[in-house]
Structures are given as structure tokens and as C-alpha cells.
């Protein structure tokens, strides 16, 4: 047990000592009474001697209970507490999905969303985020442990990808829900640039790890879905794929890439991905997506220590002791004045 304010207790000891000295200070016993002569018979009376001993005992009890009550009260004011410090080891990681929303990746995007929904349901403690990109990156979901929200966004993305696939297979389809249709493009389209800016999309995911400097040892993963096709029709690239992969390596971020069969510069893309410590996959069937999901699920997690200090007030024993002392003091005081 510890005291939050120990100085209160020390001050009470001084007060208790003063009370003790004042009560036991030698006084003129006859200051307010009258002297009596020839009291030998009274002094030898058994009843008188019994009352005298009872008075002295009660007086001592009153003094002791007052001193102890002062000490108990001061201890209560000093706030006795039990401090419990627990160091927990938490194994966590951050996972960002970086999704190229160009038409050529709709099929793998839909399959990956479906598998990631299953994976998110199994997570405990991991933070998940989602970035989509085309002309520019857009953060759909910042890193969070709100898995219900992550799943709802993945479901909306999958619905949008599936609708694009459906429209592509049947261009004459009627009653298209354009809110769903355009969801995958949210915040990623500009009129003055090209499309599928791969490096900038990946860097957008890197920047979504907001605590890169504060927690450099935290395990971080990017699930990268793209065909690596860069369209520079209206502008120039600000960050190449190589530049983006080097940034990932600098911060220890592993990239797991999934690309369609028609991927551009496959060998270079594979080499850059593997250089981060991640894996590279070509989408041939949903089994490949399952392999990627398993690889992400089996990656190492970072170990962080968190210290939790719990302070619990413990006044119960002192309150009971104070109640008992005051009761005894009351009984003894009443007996003295009877």
C-alpha cells in the first residue's frame, strides 16, 4: 500500500504528539476543586479505588483513541492506494490495401476484396487501411481497428468492381446504379493528367502510415493491386514505381503485389516487389488470391510493450478502524462523565 500524499501523515504525527503532551501535561489537580482533610477512610474504600482505577483506564482509553483517530484520519486524507503496474506485450501490424481502380484490374480487385473481408474478420489488434488510386491516390480508410467499417468499405468497393465487370460484359445493360458504379473512382480522377500513376498510388499508401517516425519498429504491409500500366497522356509522373518501392524499403514496409496476366514490365515489377521483403503474384485464379491472403496473414507481427498502471483507493480498513476507535472513545468518554 502506498500513500498519494504522505506529507499529510507526517503532519498528523506532529499533531498527535502535541495532543498527547497537552493531555499528559502536569496540572494542579486541585485548581478547580476543594481540598479535603482526613480522607484516609475514602482512600481505603474498595468502591472508591475501583472507580478511581476505572476513571484512569477510561482516561487512558480516551487519549489513546483520540491519538489513533487522528492518525487514521490523516492516513485517509493522505489517500492510501494500491498501485499495480502491468507490462503487456502486444503483437501488432499495420496493413494498407493499395488498389489501382483502372478497368483492367476490376476482376482481381473484386476477388481480393472478397478474400480480405474474410481475413479482416479474423484479425485481432491489427490496424487496417484502404487507399485507392488512378490519376491520384485517395485515402478511403485510415488505419483503424474498426473492422466493421473496413468490411463495409470493402463490400462497397467489391460491389462497384462487380458492377463495372457486369457493364463491361454487357454494355447495353439498363438501370445502372451510378452511385455504386462511380464509387471506385472516388477522389482519384483529375482532368489534367493521365491515369494509373502507379508510384504515386503506392506512395499514397506509405504516407497513410502516419506514425512511421514515431514507431519505426512496427510491422507494416502494403497489399498492392495493379497492372503496372502507366498512362502519361496528359502529364508527367512525379514518383516512379522504383522510387516508391525504395521508400517502402527505407521504412521497412513489405509490399505484396497482385497483378493480372497482362501486367506491364513483369520482371521489373517482381524484382522491385521482392526487394521490399514481400511477395509477387500473377492472378490466374482465386487460388492465387488465397495464397496472397495466407502470405499476408503469416507475416511476422511487431512486438510492442505497453505499460498500464492502475491506482486503486484502499480506505476500507482505515475507515473501519476509525469507526471502531470513535465508538470506543464515545463509550469511555461517557463513562468518565457519569
Amino acid at each position: 500500500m502506498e500513500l498519494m500524499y504522505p506529507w499529510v501523515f507526517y503532519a498528523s504525527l506532529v499533531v498527535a504528539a502535541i495532543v498527547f503532551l497537552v493531555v499528559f501535561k502536569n496540572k494542579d489537580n486541585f485548581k478547580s476543586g476543594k481540598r479535603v482533610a482526613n480522607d484516609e477512610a475514602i482512600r481505603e474504600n474498595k468502591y472508591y479505588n475501583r472507580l478511581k482505577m476505572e476513571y484512569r483506564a477510561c482516561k487512558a482509553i480516551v487519549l489513546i483513541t483520540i491519538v489513533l483517530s487522528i492518525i487514521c484520519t490523516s492516513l485517509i486524507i493522505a489517500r492510501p492506494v494500491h498501485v499495480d503496474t502491468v507490462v503487456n506485450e502486444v503483437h501488432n501490424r499495420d496493413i494498407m490495401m493499395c488498389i489501382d481502380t483502372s478497368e483492367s484490374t476490376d476482376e482481381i480487385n473484386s476477388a481480393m476484396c472478397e478474400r480480405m473481408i474474410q481475413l479482416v474478420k479474423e484479425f485481432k489488434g491489427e490496424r487496417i487501411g484502404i487507399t485507392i488510386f488512378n490519376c491520384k491516390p485517395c485515402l478511403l480508410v485510415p488505419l483503424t481497428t474498426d473492422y466493421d467499417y473496413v468490411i463495409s468499405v470493402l463490400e462497397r468497393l467489391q460491389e462497384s468492381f462487380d458492377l463495372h465487370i457486369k457493364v463491361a460484359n454487357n454494355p447495353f445493360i439498363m438501370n445502372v446504379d451510378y452511385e455504386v458504379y462511380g464509387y471506385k473512382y472516388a477522389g482519384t480522377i483529375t482532368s489534367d493528367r493521365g491515369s494509373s500513376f502507379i508510384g504515386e498510388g503506392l506512395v499514397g499508401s506509405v504516407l497513410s502510415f502516419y506514425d512511421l517516425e514515431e514507431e519505426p519498429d512496427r510491422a507494416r504491409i502494403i497489399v498492392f493491386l495493379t497492372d503496372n500500366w502507366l498512362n502519361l497522356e496528359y502529364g508527367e509522373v512525379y514518383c516512379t514505381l522504383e522510387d516508391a518501392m525504395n521508400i517502402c524499403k527505407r521504412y521497412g514496409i513489405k509490399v505484396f503485389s497482385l497483378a493480372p496476366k497482362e501486367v506491364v514490365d513483369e520482371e521489373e515489377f517482381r524484382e522491385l516487389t521482392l526487394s521490399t521483403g514481400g511477395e509477387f503474384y500473377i492472378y490466374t485464379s482465386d487460388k492465387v488470391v488465397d495464397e496472397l491472403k495466407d502470405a499476408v496473414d503469416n507475416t511476422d507481427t511487431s512486438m510492442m510493450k505497453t505499460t498500464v498502471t492502475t491506482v486503486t483507493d484502499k480506505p476500507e480498513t482505515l475507515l473501519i478502524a476509525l469507526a471502531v476507535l470513535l465508538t470506543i472513545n464515545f463509550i469511555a468518554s461517557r463513562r468518565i462523565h457519569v
Side-chain angles (χ1 to χ4, degrees):
M1 183 180 294
E2 302 179 18
L3 296 177
M4 290 289 288
Y5 312 109
W7 61 269
V8 176
F9 173 67
Y10 300 139
S12 70
L13 293 180
V14 177
V15 174
I18 294 174
V19 172
F20 185 84
L21 293 175
V22 169
V23 174
F24 271 96
K25 182 180 179 181
N26 291 328
K27 295 182 179 180
D28 183 3
N29 294 330
F30 304 102
K31 183 176 181 180
S32 59
K34 296 182 179 179
R35 295 178 181 275
V36 177
N38 303 319
D39 58 352
E40 290 82 1
I42 296 177
R43 292 179 181 278
E44 294 174 359
N45 186 278
K46 292 182 179 180
Y47 178 70
Y48 168 79
N49 288 326
R50 183 175 65 82
L51 291 177
K52 183 178 180 180
M53 291 178 61
E54 183 179 347
Y55 173 80
R56 289 179 175 176
C58 288
K59 183 178 179 181
I61 291 173
V62 169
L63 174 64
I64 293 172
T65 54
I66 288 175
V67 173
L68 292 178
S69 295
I70 294 174
I71 293 175
C72 283
T73 302
S74 65
L75 286 172
I76 294 173
I77 297 174
R79 192 182 172 188
V81 297
H82 176 70
V83 180
D84 187 20
T85 301
V86 178
V87 178
N88 297 320
E89 291 186 355
V90 181
H91 297 266
N92 279 338
R93 60 188 165 185
D94 292 340
I95 301 175
M96 285 295 303
M97 288 190 65
C98 183
I99 303 175
D100 182 350
T101 59
S102 58
E103 298 292 333
S104 56
T105 59
D106 284 339
E107 187 176 356
I108 62 173
N109 288 342
S110 176
M112 194 63 201
C113 285
E114 181 179 354
R115 298 304 188 275
M116 283 301 296
I117 289 172
Q118 300 171 6
L119 183 61
V120 169
K121 293 178 180 179
E122 301 171 4
F123 283 153
K124 293 181 180 179
E126 287 89 347
R127 297 188 302 189
I128 312 296
I130 302 174
T131 302
I132 58 176
F133 71 91
N134 197 328
C135 302
K136 60 181 180 179
C138 175
L139 180 62
L140 274 187
V141 180
L143 288 173
T144 180
T145 55
D146 186 349
Y147 298 145
D148 290 337
Y149 177 65
V150 174
I151 290 173
S152 69
V153 173
L154 287 173
E155 289 174 341
R156 292 189 67 184
L157 279 173
Q158 184 182 5
E159 187 179 5
S160 182
F161 295 137
D162 289 342
L163 182 57
H164 275 264
I165 295 172
K166 186 177 180 180
V167 171
N169 294 331
N170 183 10
F172 301 104
I173 190 172
M174 303 296 291
N175 299 323
V176 174
D177 188 337
Y178 287 100
E179 182 178 355
V180 174
Y181 187 84
Y183 184 74
K184 74 168 190 171
Y185 291 128
T188 67
I189 302 298
T190 59
S191 59
D192 58 342
R193 301 191 68 190
S195 62
S196 296
F197 284 82
I198 314 300
E200 293 174 27
L202 184 57
V203 169
S205 286
V206 173
L207 295 177
S208 299
F209 296 111
Y210 57 85
D211 52 1
L212 284 171
E213 302 294 342
E214 293 79 3
E215 297 184 21
D217 297 329
R218 189 178 180 93
R220 296 179 173 89
I221 295 170
I222 293 178
V223 179
F224 193 29
L225 311 180
T226 181
D227 58 0
N228 196 32
W229 183 75
L230 179 63
N231 180 6
L232 297 177
E233 182 178 357
Y234 303 110
E236 60 179 354
V237 64
Y238 298 138
C239 180
T240 65
L241 179 61
E242 182 178 2
D243 293 335
M245 289 291 187
N246 287 333
I247 293 174
C248 290
K249 287 192 291 184
R250 182 192 311 169
Y251 290 106
I253 301 172
K254 295 181 179 180
V255 179
F256 290 78
S257 298
L258 179 63
K261 294 179 182 179
E262 297 78 16
V263 60
V264 177
D265 296 329
E266 177 182 339
E267 291 303 319
E268 180 186 14
F269 192 9
R270 181 188 301 272
E271 183 179 346
L272 290 173
T273 298
L274 296 179
S275 69
T276 67
E279 298 289 345
F280 181 86
Y281 300 89
I282 294 295
Y283 178 72
T284 55
S285 68
D286 288 350
K287 291 183 179 179
V288 176
V289 181
D290 291 334
E291 292 178 10
L292 188 153
K293 180 178 77 72
D294 292 339
V296 171
D297 193 28
N298 293 328
T299 52
D300 295 334
T301 58
S302 59
M303 190 276 287
M304 298 186 302
K305 292 184 178 181
T306 59
T307 302
V308 179
T309 301
T310 303
V311 179
T312 307
D313 289 293
K314 292 291 184 179
E316 296 87 355
T317 303
L318 290 172
L319 288 172
I320 294 172
L322 180 61
V324 172
L325 289 170
L326 291 176
T327 302
I328 295 174
N329 179 276
F330 176 77
I331 295 173
S333 299
R334 295 293 297 174
R335 187 59 185 169
I336 290 175
H337 293 92
V338 170

